[in-house]
């Protein structure tokens, strides 16, 4: 039934778009609103969502347009997403269906009715309907600079001939990364993954316009804006409240399984293994050390392959010039195997020296020159890599001296 209603909506909108040759006339009861959807617990919900509601009470049309539709069935979707060539598109559905969907997920929703005059409303609706034409629907998605929140911001600004005056006294000096961490917190796996992939560009101060990539910031910008001497937002409504269950999931920090705890435990384990290996030359301990090293090299090598791909080949902004490439080496995958090859001990020793040196270079260059954010969980992880590399470096050197 829901699919049928969305299909009917699409047909109606397509008919309107096809017949619109000049100025589109709507009844005086037409109201344009911004719908801001709250964050959820899942990764894809963390940053919220924005929709534009067009509600014509006289004609009975109440539709939400939003720029967050993507097709998982598109060939090579994952590869295209990582490479930064993912095309999102504008979607439309009945407002009742839009609200019902977020209610089912336990998420909140706020409405801001915009105080636009007849001309501004008509221009905004015409722009949205033009964007909804099949040939115009898709756009090259850009998480920071062209997304579901920046699109409505640009459309409304253009429709009002940039007549909106934004009071920016509430705007604080903040970086794009700071804004992400408001939604992810600084001690969970999502923030850890973002810290690996998102580079120096996100650590620069974000302008007012750049801050509009988050729906909550767009909502606040409209709350503090005026147009023609009147408040831009003439009425605010709470359409949905975030359920207690969703809030509990959002606040569940899983401290015992946080990156800090996991990698601190890894560092302790590595130190214990290395001390044991250097004081007790048993075959069993040697195998345990090599197995741990193999896992660490393989994991960091696989991660490094992704980070290097993002850095050198992806079109996503803020992922290039990533200093994490210094220590996340794709070649670690190869040496995860070579560590078991006795004839490769000399090559291994050279490689562990390179790892050892690059980690120190990373710490020095990053802290003194580049100043890319370092996730707190990086330190115990880097410490574990240093201890393990130092052990194999000294151990192989000792074996060479004996031979």
């Amino acid at each position: 039934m829901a699919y049928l209603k969305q299909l009917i909506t699409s047909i109606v909108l397509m008919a309107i778009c096809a017949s619109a040759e000049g100025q589109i006339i709507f009844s005086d009861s037409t109201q344009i609103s911004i719908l801001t959807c709250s964050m959820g617990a899942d990764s894809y919900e963390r940053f919220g969502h924005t929709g534009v509601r067009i509600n014509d009470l006289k004609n009975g049309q109440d539709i939400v347009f939003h720029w967050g539709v993507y097709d998982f069935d598109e060939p090579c979707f994952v590869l295209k997403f990582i490479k930064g060539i993912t095309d999102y598109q504008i979607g439309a559905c009945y407002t009742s269906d839009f609200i019902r969907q977020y209610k089912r997920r336990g998420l909140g929703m706020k409405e801001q009715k915009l105080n636009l005059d007849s001309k501004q409303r008509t221009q905004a609706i015409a722009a949205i309907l033009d964007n909804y034409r099949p040939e115009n629907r898709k756009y090259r998605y850009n998480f920071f600079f062209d997304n579901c929140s920046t699109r409505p911001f640009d459309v409304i600004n253009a429709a009002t001939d940039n007549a909106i005056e934004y009071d920016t006294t509430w705007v604080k000096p903040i970086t794009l990364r700071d804004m992400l961490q408001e939604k992810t917190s600084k001690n969970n796996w999502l923030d850890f993954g973002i810290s690996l992939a998102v580079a120096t560009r996100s650590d620069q101060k974000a302008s007012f316009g750049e801050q509009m990539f988050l729906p909550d910031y767009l909502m606040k910008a409209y709350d503090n804006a005026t147009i023609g001497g009147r408040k831009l937002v003439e009425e605010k409504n709470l359409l949905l409240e975030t359920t207690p269950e969703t809030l509990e999931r959002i606040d569940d920090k899983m401290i015992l399984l946080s990156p800090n705890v996991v990698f601190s435990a890894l560092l302790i384990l590595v130190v214990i293994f290395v001390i044991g290996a250097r004081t007790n030359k048993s075959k069993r301990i040697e195998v345990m050390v090599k197995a741990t090293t193999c896992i660490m090299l393989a994991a960091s090598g696989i991660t490094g392959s992704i980070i290097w791909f993002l850095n050198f080949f992806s079109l996503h902004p803020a992922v290039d010039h990533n200093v994490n490439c210094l220590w996340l080496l794709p070649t670690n995958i190869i040496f995860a195997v070579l560590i078991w090859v006795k004839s490769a001990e000399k090559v291994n020793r050279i490689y562990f020296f390179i790892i050892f040196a690059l980690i120190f270079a990373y710490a020095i260059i990053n802290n003194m020159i580049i100043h890319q954010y370092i996730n707190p969980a990086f330190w115990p992880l880097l410490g574990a890599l240093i201890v393990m590399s130092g052990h194999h470096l000294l151990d192989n050197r000792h074996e060479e001296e004996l031979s």
Side-chain angles (χ1 to χ4, degrees):
M1 185 64 182
Y3 172 78
L4 179 60
K5 291 176 72 175
Q6 292 215 21
L7 179 61
I8 294 173
T9 301
S10 299
I11 293 173
V12 171
L13 292 174
M14 285 296 295
I16 293 174
C17 292
S19 63
E21 298 179 355
Q23 186 182 34
I24 303 173
I25 306 298
F26 288 85
S27 72
D28 293 336
S29 65
T30 301
Q31 175 67 56
I32 295 180
S33 303
I34 298 296
L35 301 184
T36 303
C37 307
S38 68
M39 65 181 289
D42 295 328
S43 298
Y44 69 93
E45 298 174 330
R46 277 283 170 170
F47 308 104
H49 191 46
T50 298
V52 179
R53 179 182 185 181
I54 301 178
N55 185 11
D56 190 336
L57 299 174
K58 183 177 180 180
N59 297 327
Q61 293 182 6
D62 189 1
I63 299 164
V64 173
F65 293 86
H66 62 107
W67 286 262
V69 178
Y70 48 87
D71 184 8
F72 280 123
D73 294 328
E74 183 180 349
C76 303
F77 175 83
V78 175
L79 179 60
K80 288 181 178 179
F81 185 86
I82 294 175
K83 196 172 181 180
I85 56 175
T86 306
D87 289 331
Y88 278 44
Q89 64 184 28
I90 183 175
C93 63
Y94 286 109
T95 300
S96 57
D97 292 335
F98 191 77
I99 294 174
R100 188 179 300 113
Q101 178 188 13
Y102 279 84
K103 183 177 181 180
R104 184 172 62 248
R105 290 155 60 186
L107 303 177
M109 186 183 301
K110 295 178 181 178
E111 178 184 35
Q112 295 168 297
K113 293 185 177 181
L114 302 185
N115 194 5
L116 305 178
D117 61 30
S118 178
K119 178 184 176 182
Q120 291 163 347
R121 287 198 304 270
T122 300
Q123 290 181 165
I125 294 170
I128 292 171
L129 291 179
D130 182 67
N131 197 175
Y132 191 69
R133 290 177 183 271
E135 65 270 21
N136 298 334
R137 288 182 190 177
K138 288 187 177 182
Y139 71 100
R140 184 56 47 85
Y141 176 79
N142 184 312
F143 179 74
F144 284 122
F145 306 118
D146 196 354
N147 67 6
C148 72
S149 184
T150 63
R151 285 265 161 165
F153 178 68
D154 294 337
V155 166
I156 300 300
N157 280 336
T160 59
D161 300 318
N162 295 310
I164 299 176
E165 297 181 6
Y166 294 98
D167 178 4
T168 59
T169 55
W170 61 274
V171 178
K172 55 186 177 180
I174 194 171
T175 67
L176 296 173
R177 195 187 300 275
D178 291 332
M179 296 174 67
L180 294 179
Q181 290 179 335
E182 288 179 0
K183 302 299 181 182
T184 63
S185 82
K186 294 184 179 181
N187 191 30
N188 63 20
W189 288 101
L190 178 59
D191 178 60
F192 179 80
I194 292 174
S195 300
L196 289 174
V198 178
T200 314
R201 173 64 183 86
S202 67
D203 294 311
Q204 300 173 10
K205 181 181 176 182
S207 67
F208 171 76
E210 289 173 343
Q211 293 183 21
M212 296 304 103
F213 87 94
L214 278 186
D216 283 352
Y217 278 71
L218 177 63
M219 179 176 65
K220 195 167 184 178
Y222 283 155
D223 277 341
N224 291 275
T226 58
I227 184 168
R230 63 189 186 275
K231 281 187 168 294
L232 177 61
V233 177
E234 63 180 358
E235 182 181 335
K236 294 188 290 185
N237 298 309
L238 179 63
L239 302 182
L240 291 173
E241 287 194 57
T242 306
T243 62
E245 292 79 12
T246 299
L247 291 173
E248 185 177 350
R249 288 184 61 208
I250 293 173
D251 293 336
D252 185 8
K253 298 179 180 179
M254 297 182 65
I255 296 176
L256 293 179
L257 293 177
S258 69
N260 273 336
V261 172
V262 169
F263 291 121
S264 294
L266 174 64
L267 174 58
I268 293 172
L269 185 66
V270 168
V271 170
I272 292 174
F273 280 175
V274 167
I275 292 175
R278 304 203 71 79
T279 57
N280 184 355
K281 297 292 183 178
S282 71
K283 188 71 174 178
R284 181 180 178 184
I285 293 180
E286 180 185 345
V287 171
M288 291 173 63
V289 171
K290 282 190 175 182
T292 305
T293 305
C294 176
I295 294 171
M296 290 173 60
L297 289 175
S300 60
I302 293 171
T303 305
S305 299
I306 298 172
I307 301 306
W308 277 58
F309 182 88
L310 289 172
N311 185 78
F312 294 105
F313 301 105
S314 177
L315 299 179
H316 281 297
V319 297
D320 56 347
H321 300 93
N322 191 341
V323 72
N324 290 328
C325 288
L326 280 175
W327 64 277
L328 284 170
L329 305 176
T331 48
N332 285 358
I333 299 174
I334 299 173
F335 284 87
V337 177
L338 286 181
I339 194 175
W340 300 99
V341 180
K342 192 169 182 62
S343 60
E345 287 178 353
K346 186 174 182 179
V347 175
N348 287 335
R349 184 168 73 85
I350 295 173
Y351 190 73
F352 282 118
F353 174 76
I354 292 173
I355 293 177
F356 196 86
L358 285 178
I359 291 176
F360 277 100
Y362 163 79
I364 295 171
I365 293 173
N366 198 27
N367 281 290
M368 297 183 64
I369 302 174
I370 299 179
H371 305 296
Q372 180 175 312
Y373 171 74
I374 300 177
N375 189 288
F378 285 7
W379 294 118
L381 175 57
L382 292 170
L385 288 170
I386 286 175
V387 172
M388 189 64 73
S389 300
H391 165 70
H392 287 290
L393 178 62
L394 295 175
D395 196 48
N396 287 336
R397 178 182 293 176
H398 178 67
E399 289 181 2
E400 282 188 1
E401 290 174 351
L402 289 178
S403 62

